[in-house]
Structures are given as structure tokens and as C-alpha cells.
Amino acid sequence: MKYVVMSVFIILSSVSMAKSEFSQIVEYVQKTYADKFTDHPILVFDMDELETRYALKKAFGKEKEKEEQRAEILMKYVKEEIGVELTLREAMSYEVYTTALKSGAYALPTLKDGPDRRKIYKMCAVFPASPNSNKRLEMERMTGLKTPGAYERTTYTGLQKKLEFRELQLFSLYHELGHCMDRIYMPENYNTYEVDAHDVHLSESYAEVFALLMLEKEGLRGTAQTRALMRNLYTQKMGKWFIDNPSNGFGNPMYLKGGVIYNLAPVLLAANEFLDRNTDFVEESVEVLLLKAKEFVDGYALPSRSFHGIYRIMSEENEKVLNFYRKYSQTMPSFFQDAYKDILLFLDNSPYLLDQMIGFTIDDNSGPALLTLSKEEVCAIKKKDNIIELIQSKREELKDEKANYKDQLSLQKQLDSFFHEWAKCI
């Protein structure tokens, strides 16, 4: 893995305790990229700042009045950061991503009426994945590795390729930023009466390639192949699990095709080949990178017939599906020949990529102990700067992915509820 030290790493070389490392990353991406996008306002949510505000106002809790209080705090935060005035209803739609869903990463626009009866963006929110994580925990989250029944004997230790936590964190952040900067696929999805799973695949392909280009631009080089192996692992394992457990989708039409939606290895590998031959390309502007991301989607994301054919090959008896596409590739080649070729390529290449990734080494979950937080330790702190210093130090300890696994999970859980617990003390 080759690293080039660039601006984001210079910023993080000396973390100011007035802001956590996570807050500094958010501030950098906001000022360097989000603020310079002129189509609509984009806000990367700094959850350390927002949760501090929740805590100081004692706004935690499941009661309706607490939800509304948090929404009002969120409204003020958004107005201060990007000058957008949200309604209480709009803020309430964001609030859940700062509480119940805050561990994941999301891009979510607020819409308003535009010309020709189309919806346009009032703003777009980027919710980064939780910073209370490490290399192992984030790899498990991204792949769904701990989903009961999905992975059989596949283990974290057995994974042949892994990305570092910083790479995973920034890949996720720039992926969601890519959604918010997307002028094509995601806006169209919000203006379609019924979004097709293939449309979501195109949108995800776009955001994924943009994230790769941004990591390269920021100096994190050579992540594409491992990321492709991760995405293929998800397609093979979680994709099959979605199909085998339809009731878990609660009727969501996208659920069953989740594995094919995130079949992003083809676009990542194509982009990687391009970057190997054009090492200076990432010095181009963000606008050029956005255009290049679309080129990779046009050239290497799955066409609609291929997408639905691969879903069939994953969910039905293989020979039956192959016979169908083989027959129609001969009688109606303009419609089915490319789809048939893509299915055959998937059947050959996806298992090949899977073999490069999985192993069956038993996890060693013992490891050195991590000291969890005590209530007294949290409640002894009264100033915001000191609370940031404490949470930063515990996040640094959590970065040891070789520590006792149960301790990792316990410390992560404590950090996720850190501001909530602190609010009870002040």
C-alpha cells in the first residue's frame, strides 16, 4: 500500500482538543469540498458537535417532546453552518439519523418544488459513519460479517485483505458526499414514482467510484482492489442471505436485490486500471472527478437486463436461468446477448474474487484488555474541551483492533452513548 501525505493528514497531525479528530475531518471536508459545491447546499453533520448541543440542553430521550427539542437544536445547527432554514418537519426527518441510526453512513436530501413539477434539493445532508470504531469493527459493519447465518465459517481474522480504519472511514464519508454531489442518478430517483433496484445500483456505483477518486486525490492510494473484494464479498454472502431471508425485508422491494445493488467490484476494478495508467489524474478538480465517475458507471456498472439476470442467477436454479438467457441471446441478440455474457462473467469472476478474500482462520477474541469508561470518570468532567479530550483518548484506545473483542464492543457501546450519559451528570 502506497501512501502520499496530503492536506487532510496534515490537519490531523496535531489534534486540537477543542475539536475531536472526527470533527476536524468533518470540518476539512465541509470547507474544502462541500461548501464549494454550488448546485445546492451540502452539510456534513458533525455528530460530536451536535451531540454536545443535545447534552447541554438535556435533549436526550425517547419522548416526543425530546425528539422535537432535538429537531429544534438541529434546525439551529443547520442554519448556523450553511444558512438553510429547515422546518420542524424537515428537521424531524433528519433527527433519527442523529440518534437511532447514527452508527451508519447516509446521504439524505431535503426536497422542494422546482420547475416542471420536479423536486429539487433544498439541501443535502451527509451523515458520516460513527467514529466510535476501528479497523475490525468497521470491516464487520461494512460487510455485515456478524450477520447470523450469512457467513458460515468466514471470520474477520480469515479475511485475506483488509483496509485500514482511516481508509474505511474516509471511503464511507466520500461515498455519501458523492451521493450529495450526484446531479444524475440520485436526483432522478427522487423524481421517479417507483424507483427500480437497478436505478439504485447506478447511484451506488457512481458514489463508490467518486469516493475512490477522492481517496486517491487525498493521498490514500491503492485501496480499489481491496474495496472491490469487500463489495464482492457482500454481494456473494449478504446477497444470498437477503434472498434466503425475505421476511427480514418487511416488504421493501430493494431488500431482496441488495446484493446485486452493491455489486460494485466491476466499476472499482475498472477505475483502478485507469488510475494505474493515469497517476496524475486525481490532481484534477472535483468537477472533473464527478464527470469521470459517470463515465465509469456508463461503461462498467450493470445494464438493467444484466442486473436482473444476475439477480435471477442468485435466486433461482442456475441451469434454468442460463438456458433462458442462452436461448434468447440467439433468438433476440440485441436484447439478451450482452446480458447473457454479463451473467457468465459474473458466474466466473465473482467466485474468483471471493476466493481471494475469504479464509476460515478462527478469530482470536482474547487480546489485551481495554479499559471501559466508568460513570465517575464521565461525570467528573464539566467542560466541553475536557469531554472532547476524554472521548478522543478513548477512541484512540479503541483503534487497537487486536484488543479483547468483547472489550472493543463494550467500549464502542459506551462511546455511542457517551454524550447521553454525560448529559445526566451536568
Side-chain angles (χ1 to χ4, degrees):
M1 184 73 67
K2 182 174 69 173
Y3 294 89
V4 179
V5 178
M6 293 184 72
S7 45
V8 69
F9 306 104
I10 294 171
I11 283 177
L12 297 177
S13 61
S14 57
V15 176
S16 164
M17 284 305 108
K19 286 183 178 289
S20 65
E21 179 181 295
F22 171 74
S23 293
Q24 292 193 53
I25 292 172
V26 168
E27 181 179 50
Y28 171 78
V29 174
Q30 182 69 42
K31 291 182 176 180
T32 309
Y33 300 115
D35 284 346
K36 294 178 182 177
F37 189 75
T38 58
D39 289 34
H40 49 257
I42 296 174
L43 178 60
V44 184
F45 273 66
D46 180 353
M47 284 305 303
D48 284 351
E49 172 61 28
L50 194 56
E51 286 204 280
T52 299
R53 296 188 186 199
Y54 288 170
L56 292 173
K57 294 292 185 180
K58 296 187 179 294
F60 290 105
K62 296 181 180 179
E63 302 86 355
K64 182 68 173 178
E65 57 268 26
K66 291 295 185 180
E67 291 181 4
E68 291 183 353
Q69 185 183 8
R70 290 193 294 272
E72 289 171 355
I73 294 169
L74 193 152
M75 289 165 65
K76 184 177 180 181
Y77 170 72
V78 171
K79 179 67 186 309
E80 289 176 6
E81 295 296 318
I82 58 173
V84 173
E85 294 187 3
L86 296 176
T87 66
L88 181 61
R89 182 176 179 179
E90 290 168 341
M92 288 287 284
S93 71
Y94 283 159
E95 184 274 337
V96 67
Y97 294 93
T98 70
T99 50
L101 299 178
K102 68 179 182 178
S103 63
Y106 311 92
L108 192 68
T110 293
L111 304 174
K112 63 181 181 180
D113 292 330
D116 302 323
R117 298 183 179 180
R118 287 179 62 83
K119 297 291 184 180
I120 60 175
Y121 289 7
K122 180 176 180 178
M123 65 167 284
C124 191
V126 173
F127 296 97
S130 171
N132 304 323
S133 193
N134 62 28
K135 178 179 178 178
R136 175 173 181 172
L137 297 175
E138 192 64 5
M139 283 289 295
E140 290 177 348
R141 183 188 75 84
M142 284 293 302
T143 59
L145 190 59
K146 289 299 181 177
T147 305
Y151 278 89
E152 302 166 342
R153 295 180 295 124
T154 306
T155 65
Y156 171 77
T157 303
L159 296 181
Q160 302 301 298
K161 300 288 185 179
K162 303 179 180 79
L163 292 178
E164 298 301 321
F165 178 56
R166 173 74 65 218
E167 296 167 335
L168 293 163
Q169 186 179 40
L170 292 178
F171 220 121
S172 176
L173 177 52
Y174 283 122
H175 178 106
E176 303 308 329
L177 182 66
H179 279 310
C180 279
M181 289 185 169
D182 177 4
R183 299 181 174 102
I184 307 158
Y185 305 103
M186 202 159 86
E188 188 60 34
N189 290 346
Y190 279 99
N191 279 283
T192 300
Y193 178 73
E194 185 173 356
V195 180
D196 182 79
H198 176 252
D199 298 326
V200 180
H201 168 70
L202 298 180
S203 176
E204 293 299 332
S205 298
Y206 181 86
E208 188 80 348
V209 173
F210 175 75
L212 171 64
L213 297 176
M214 288 299 294
L215 253 68
E216 295 275 333
K217 186 177 183 67
E218 284 295 328
L220 280 174
R221 304 290 173 87
T223 62
Q225 287 184 314
T226 299
R227 184 73 170 193
L229 294 177
M230 288 174 60
R231 290 303 196 182
N232 182 71
L233 176 69
Y234 185 90
T235 292
Q236 284 283 337
K237 297 297 186 177
M238 289 304 297
K240 189 68 168 65
W241 188 84
F242 294 142
I243 291 165
D244 291 343
N245 296 273
S247 61
N248 291 329
F250 301 103
N252 185 336
M254 303 296 168
Y255 173 83
L256 291 176
K257 296 177 181 176
V260 195
I261 286 172
Y262 285 96
N263 180 30
L264 308 179
V267 290
L268 286 165
L269 294 174
N272 185 57
E273 180 189 12
F274 171 82
L275 291 168
D276 283 345
R277 291 186 285 104
N278 299 273
T279 56
D280 295 334
F281 175 77
V282 291
E283 297 175 11
E284 297 284 355
S285 68
V286 172
E287 285 296 325
V288 173
L289 268 55
L290 289 166
L291 291 172
K292 180 56 71 173
K294 183 182 184 303
E295 287 184 26
F296 285 116
V297 174
D298 290 344
Y300 299 97
L302 292 172
S304 180
R305 287 191 182 89
S306 301
F307 178 92
H308 294 291
I310 288 173
Y311 171 70
R312 287 191 61 188
I313 210 74
M314 291 180 67
S315 58
E316 301 176 35
E317 197 274 316
N318 278 16
E319 197 57 36
K320 171 188 170 184
V321 177
L322 285 174
N323 283 338
F324 174 89
Y325 282 90
R326 186 184 297 116
K327 173 183 176 181
Y328 283 100
S329 70
Q330 296 173 12
T331 59
M332 303 178 68
S334 61
F335 288 99
F336 288 95
Q337 193 171 79
D338 287 343
Y340 179 52
K341 290 178 181 177
D342 286 339
I343 292 169
L344 292 175
L345 180 62
F346 176 81
L347 286 172
D348 178 69
N349 199 42
S350 189
Y352 170 73
L353 295 176
L354 187 66
D355 287 342
Q356 295 181 46
M357 186 60 164
I358 62 170
F360 303 107
T361 306
I362 297 174
D363 282 331
D364 179 5
N365 292 325
S366 55
L370 283 177
L371 293 178
T372 52
L373 282 160
S374 68
K375 181 178 179 180
E376 292 74 21
E377 191 176 10
V378 175
C379 289
I381 297 178
K382 304 301 179 184
K383 293 182 180 180
K384 176 183 174 182
D385 283 5
N386 291 353
I387 212 73
I388 294 299
E389 184 175 359
L390 177 58
I391 199 170
Q392 184 63 45
S393 69
K394 301 308 288 187
R395 284 173 180 165
E396 290 299 321
E397 293 177 24
L398 183 59
K399 287 180 182 178
D400 181 8
E401 79 275 6
K402 295 181 180 179
N404 181 282
Y405 184 61
K406 288 185 178 179
D407 287 353
Q408 291 181 48
L409 295 175
S410 295
L411 183 54
Q412 182 184 50
K413 185 176 180 179
Q414 283 191 318
L415 289 171
D416 284 344
S417 61
F418 183 89
F419 289 99
H420 191 179
E421 295 304 312
W422 181 51
K424 297 176 182 178
C425 307
I426 57 178

